[in-house]
Amino acid sequence: MDRQIQVFLTKLSWACITVASFSLLLLFLQTPETCVPPDAPPKPHLRFPKSSCDFSPRVYVPVEKKNKRLWSSREWQKKVDSYVKFFKSIHDLGLLQKNSRSLCVSAGAGHEVMALTNMGLLDVTGVELIESPPLVSRADPHNLPFFNDSFNFAFSAHFAEALFPSRFASEMERAVEAGGICVLVVEECGDDVVKEIVGLFRNSKFIGSNNVTLFGSKWTSIVMETRNS
């Protein structure tokens, strides 16, 4: 009798396991119709939902349309105009010309690239770890994909964020020809900090520093001239 009960319980267990497995399989393969809008666009225009009931269609937007929306925003224009004003002060010093081969290192979304382009510069390159086409290409600021002396003007407003500042500085110098200009913009600081930063640019001559206003905030600009290697 005990053996018959044991056999019955074993069969019942297997039956429960089979039903449970089949139910789970159905849950994985079938999404409740109430969670999916009937007019939802087909893949690949959708991102995979986090769950079966977290289905929110995301229509693909071309890069050109995204950029048009971004570049027309008030915040974007404000930053670009601020950069234009700053670069004009560099131009007035005779350190930036329309025929300058310019490099923007750690250019972010590309505000400074657009500012230089709006000023009439024809050869402007922006690089960042994450690309933002068409203004900024993907490249590591610590290992720039350019030959020596490829540019005669280099700029960065994100030097303070460099993981390896000395490597960042040496790569920036390497890409700029002798007699070229390297310009940094950092949060407002004193002469001691400026001296420390300039010391990382071992192949450059310090020209000067100045407190400037960008985007409504106080910054310090540092200008250097590269020497022969």
Side-chain angles (χ1 to χ4, degrees):
M1 185 70 177
D2 292 341
R3 185 176 180 181
Q4 291 178 345
I5 294 176
Q6 184 65 37
V7 172
F8 172 76
L9 292 176
T10 301
K11 290 182 178 180
L12 182 61
S13 298
W14 280 109
C16 291
I17 292 173
T18 302
V19 172
S21 300
F22 184 72
S23 300
L24 286 174
L25 183 61
L26 287 178
L27 287 176
F28 277 113
L29 295 179
Q30 184 177 5
T31 303
E33 294 182 359
T34 55
C35 295
V36 183
D39 58 344
K43 295 179 180 179
H45 304 290
L46 295 177
R47 294 185 179 180
F48 195 82
K50 296 179 181 178
S51 68
S52 60
C53 291
D54 184 31
F55 188 92
S56 54
R58 295 175 183 266
V59 180
Y60 170 75
V61 179
V63 174
E64 295 78 7
K65 189 172 182 179
K66 287 182 179 179
N67 286 339
K68 185 177 180 180
R69 184 185 306 163
L70 175 64
W71 297 345
S72 62
S73 67
R74 182 178 301 178
E75 186 64 24
W76 178 275
Q77 289 298 330
K78 178 181 177 181
K79 287 188 176 182
V80 171
D81 292 343
S82 189
Y83 271 124
V84 168
K85 183 178 180 180
F86 170 75
F87 286 131
K88 281 184 176 179
S89 68
I90 302 296
H91 175 269
D92 292 341
L93 295 174
L95 303 177
L96 178 63
Q97 308 298 330
K98 288 191 175 182
N99 61 352
S100 295
R101 302 186 309 277
S102 304
L103 172 66
C104 297
V105 186
S106 289
H111 299 90
E112 53 267 68
V113 177
M114 180 173 285
L116 289 170
T117 302
N118 288 351
M119 288 175 59
L121 275 73
L122 301 178
D123 190 347
V124 185
T125 301
V127 295
E128 179 60 276
L129 287 173
I130 301 177
E131 66 179 357
S132 297
L135 297 176
V136 181
S137 301
R138 182 180 179 182
D140 184 357
H142 302 89
N143 187 25
L144 295 173
F146 307 113
F147 292 115
N148 296 354
D149 310 328
S150 296
F151 304 91
N152 48 32
F153 179 84
F155 170 80
S156 181
H158 299 281
F159 179 74
E161 301 169 14
L163 293 176
F164 306 100
S166 58
R167 176 67 177 175
F168 189 108
S170 64
E171 278 294 278
M172 197 169 175
E173 287 180 310
R174 181 187 63 77
V176 178
E177 65 184 13
I181 301 299
C182 289
V183 179
L184 300 179
V185 171
V186 298
E187 290 187 7
E188 188 175 27
C189 60
D191 293 340
D192 291 341
V193 175
V194 171
K195 185 177 180 180
E196 182 179 349
I197 294 174
V198 172
L200 297 174
F201 287 77
R202 302 183 180 184
N203 194 41
S204 297
K205 176 179 67 175
F206 177 60
I207 294 180
S209 63
N210 190 32
N211 290 334
V212 298
T213 300
L214 279 174
F215 334 126
S217 301
K218 298 295 183 180
W219 301 77
T220 297
S221 65
I222 304 173
V223 182
M224 296 161 284
E225 179 182 339
T226 56
R227 297 189 290 251
N228 290 319
S229 301

